[in-house]
Amino acid sequence: RMSAGDDGMGSTKHIEFDLKGTCIEYHTADNLAICPENDPEMVKQAASFLGLNLDEWFHMEYDRYELGPIFPTPCTVRTALSCYISLNLVPSRSTLAKLANFATMQEHRERLKYLASKEGKDEYHSRIVDRKHDLVDIFEMFPSIHKPELGSFFEILPKLQPRYYTISSSSVKHPNRIHVTASIVNEKKPGLPEGRIFRGACTTFLDRLTPREGAINGKRPKDERGVPAVWPHAYVFVRKSTFKLPQDISTPIILIGPGTGISPMRAFIQERESQDPEKRGDAILFFGCRRETEDFIYREELLEAVNTGVLTKLHTAFSRQQATKVYVQQLLKREASTVWSYVAEKRAHIYVCGGTQMGKDTQHALEEIVQEYGNLNKSEAHDYVENLTKTKRYIQELWSA
Ligand SMILES: Cc1cc2nc3c(=O)[nH]c(=O)nc-3n(C[C@H](O)[C@H](O)[C@H](O)COP(=O)(O)OP(=O)(O)OC[C@H]3O[C@@H](n4cnc5c(N)ncnc54)[C@H](O)[C@@H]3O)c2cc1C
C-alpha cells in the first residue's frame, strides 16, 4: 500500500514481511532492523569508476582482523558493493584518509589527505559535505583509485548499517507477519547538482521490494520450467523496544504519532482489538500528515477503530491543507484541558513517536499545558514531565528525519 506526494517525492509505504518458515518472533511495537541493499545502478557505477568486474570473486584474510570477519567472504564484488558497503552517504574524513593509500596518482593522494586533515576540514565541509558527495562521487573524482587490491580495499570502506523501523502491527493480531510503515527518502536536497535526487539506502531498497508481477491470488508465478519465482526478500532481525502498553488495560493512553510515527500507535490499536471493551481504558490518538488525501495512509482503518470504539478519539492535523500549517503539538494545546485531566486525574500513559523535532515540540507543548493547568512555574512543569518519563508514563521513540 502506498501514498505519494503530488510531486512524487516523500511517499509513505506500508510493507508486510511474511515470517513463515523463519524463526523470527516479535512483540507489538518492537523494532525491525532491516539490512538494505544498495541501488543496483549505484553499484554498477561504483564498479565502473573503480575498474572492477562485478562478477569477480575475492576473499578477505580474516585472521588479520582482531574483531573477526568484517563481512563474509569469499563473495563477488557485486555482493560486497550491494550488501556490505555504504555507497549513498557522505564519506567521513577518516574514510578519505584511508582511500588516499589506494590512489596511484600523487596529486590524488595529496588532495585526499588534505581533505581528511585538520587544515582541510573547512574545505571538506564546503566541497564534500555541503555538496552531498557520496562515496561513488569520490570514486569518480579520484579515478586513480583503480583496480585496488580487493580484500584490503573493502576492509577500509564504510559498512552499510541496518536501519530500524518501529513495527506497525500487533503480534497478537499478526503473529506471522511484521508490518512496517516507511517514509521513502527521495529528496531534491539543497547542494545537490540540478536534477539529482538523494535516495535513502534502505527506503529505496524497500520501495524496490514490490510483490512480483504475475502473482495470482498471492501465489508465486512460475517460469517456463514450472519453477516458482523467488519472492522479494530481506535480511531482518527484531530488537526490543521501550514501547509497551500499560499492564493494567484500564489505564487510558494518549498516542501522539504524526507521519510514520503512526507505526507503534497502529500496532497498539490492533492490540486493543483483542482487549475486553468493558475493561480497556480510553485511547486518544493525535495524528498528522501533509494532506488528508495524500499521506493519510491508514485513514480507513483509523476511522473504523473510532467507529468500533477501539479508539476513543482521533485528532488529525493536515499541515499543508490550509494557509497556515497545523501540527500535532498545536492540536495537543487545543485539547489542553482534556489532556490535563487524562494526565493528572486518570493517570494516562503518553506515547510519542516520530521525528526528533516533533518530539521536542510536543514535550514543550505538554510542559506548557502542565504549567497552565497544574498552576506550576516553568521549571516545576519541566520536572513534572521529567517525572512522567522516569515513571514510564511518558514514552518517546524519536529519530532524526
Ligand atoms: C528506533 C527507530 C525507529 C524508526 N522507525 C521508523 C519508521 O517506523 N518509519 C520510518 O520511515 N523511519 C523510521 N526510522 C528511521 C529509519 O531508521 C531510517 O533512518 C530512514 O528510513 C532513512 O533510511 P534510508 O536508509 O532510506 O536513508 P539513508 O540512506 O540513511 O539517508 C538518511 C538521510 O541522510 C541524509 N543524507 C545523508 N547523506 C546524504 C547525501 N549524500 N545527500 C543528501 N542527503 C543525505 C538525508 O537527510 C537523508 O534523509 C526509525 C529510526 C529509529 C532509530
Side-chain angles (χ1 to χ4, degrees):
R1 222 185 304 167
M2 182 111 185
S3 76
D6 46 15
D7 53 0
M9 299 278 150
S11 55
T12 308
K13 195 162 183 174
H14 170 91
I15 302 138
E16 297 189 12
F17 292 88
D18 188 351
L19 302 180
K20 266 186 253 114
T22 73
C23 55
I24 299 175
E25 288 177 358
Y26 77 105
H27 289 110
T28 301
D30 273 349
N31 292 161
L32 185 71
I34 302 178
C35 305
E37 286 178 25
N38 286 312
D39 179 357
E41 263 317 300
M42 217 172 193
V43 168
K44 258 195 230 161
Q45 272 183 355
S48 151
F49 291 138
L50 293 166
L52 299 178
N53 171 1
L54 282 171
D55 296 317
E56 185 177 343
W57 288 79
F58 70 98
H59 179 253
M60 280 185 178
E61 298 291 331
Y62 295 143
D63 52 2
R64 280 181 35 217
Y65 309 114
E66 282 169 18
L67 299 174
I70 288 169
F71 56 80
T73 58
C75 72
T76 60
V77 170
R78 186 191 308 278
T79 303
L81 288 175
S82 303
C83 306
Y84 303 129
I85 304 300
S86 171
L87 292 179
N88 74 326
L89 301 181
V90 177
S92 66
R93 280 159 63 216
S94 83
T95 298
L96 296 188
K98 289 176 199 154
L99 277 174
N101 300 321
F102 289 87
T104 50
M105 278 172 66
Q106 191 178 354
E107 186 195 333
H108 288 169
R109 271 202 304 276
E110 281 171 7
R111 181 84 183 125
L112 281 162
K113 277 190 183 147
Y114 175 73
L115 288 170
S117 68
K118 239 188 194 166
E119 304 73 55
K121 200 174 166 187
D122 290 345
E123 212 172 317
Y124 164 75
H125 277 279
S126 62
R127 300 254 166 190
I128 308 292
V129 180
D130 294 351
R131 293 183 187 185
K132 319 271 189 238
H133 282 308
D134 57 34
L135 194 63
V136 183
D137 293 333
I138 301 292
F139 295 154
E140 186 179 16
M141 288 153 76
F142 298 95
S144 79
I145 306 175
H146 196 71
K147 294 192 192 289
E149 197 277 301
L150 293 176
S152 45
F153 183 63
F154 281 117
E155 181 204 336
I156 61 119
L157 295 183
K159 303 298 171 295
L160 190 54
Q161 301 296 333
R163 271 53 166 184
Y164 291 92
Y165 294 86
T166 312
I167 294 174
S168 60
S169 52
S170 152
S171 52
V172 174
K173 186 170 179 183
H174 299 284
N176 290 320
R177 279 195 171 228
I178 286 184
H179 299 187
V180 162
T181 311
S183 167
I184 310 298
V185 178
N186 52 353
E187 304 162 321
K188 288 175 190 147
K189 283 248 149 187
L192 282 177
E194 189 57 35
R196 190 161 150 188
I197 290 171
F198 172 78
R199 296 184 201 283
C202 193
T203 50
T204 45
F205 165 65
L206 292 175
D207 205 14
R208 291 196 300 276
L209 288 184
T210 42
R212 198 165 273 275
E213 272 178 36
I216 303 160
N217 295 334
K219 292 240 180 322
R220 289 182 282 170
K222 292 182 179 161
D223 68 11
E224 59 283 359
R225 289 168 301 149
V227 179
V230 177
W231 286 121
H233 62 276
Y235 292 95
V236 301
F237 59 91
V238 171
R239 182 175 77 171
K240 297 245 160 298
S241 153
T242 49
F243 261 60
K244 293 273 167 284
L245 278 171
Q247 279 193 335
D248 177 356
I249 67 165
S250 69
T251 307
I253 52 175
I254 298 177
L255 311 172
I256 304 162
T260 47
I262 188 68
S263 301
M265 316 312 177
R266 178 178 183 262
F268 283 168
I269 292 165
Q270 287 185 355
E271 187 99 350
R272 280 170 58 86
E273 288 171 14
S274 62
Q275 294 175 344
D276 182 349
E278 299 295 320
K279 292 192 183 138
R280 72 179 171 218
D282 287 351
I284 301 174
L285 172 64
F286 290 86
F287 172 74
C289 60
R290 283 174 306 195
R291 291 190 183 89
E292 186 168 12
T293 50
E294 201 174 273
D295 43 0
F296 194 3
I297 185 166
Y298 298 120
R299 185 176 184 278
E300 276 68 36
E301 57 182 78
L302 291 179
L303 294 179
E304 180 62 15
V306 175
N307 279 339
T308 54
V310 175
L311 206 50
T312 314
K313 186 90 191 146
L314 168 65
H315 297 284
T316 48
F318 302 108
S319 62
R320 299 206 191 150
Q321 212 156 280
Q322 57 283 306
T324 43
K325 293 190 173 182
V326 185
Y327 295 105
V328 279
Q329 50 275 24
Q330 287 157 291
L331 290 186
L332 205 65
K333 293 284 296 282
R334 199 184 69 194
E335 300 299 320
S337 75
T338 314
V339 170
W340 173 248
S341 83
Y342 269 105
V343 174
E345 291 157 29
K346 300 178 187 164
R347 309 204 45 83
H349 285 205
I350 306 165
Y351 300 84
V352 186
C353 183
T356 325
Q357 189 55 49
M358 180 281 303
K360 275 189 195 151
D361 294 344
T362 298
Q363 177 153 350
H364 185 67
L366 184 64
E367 285 178 9
E368 285 184 348
I369 294 170
V370 169
Q371 189 179 344
E372 185 183 344
Y373 287 82
N375 285 324
L376 300 175
N377 66 33
K378 207 172 169 192
S379 119
E380 287 167 340
H382 176 76
D383 291 348
Y384 186 102
V385 175
E386 283 292 295
N387 194 44
L388 289 179
T389 309
K390 273 192 207 133
T391 52
K392 298 198 168 52
R393 285 181 53 209
Y394 186 68
I395 304 170
Q396 307 179 76
E397 185 150 280
L398 307 173
W399 57 84
S400 51

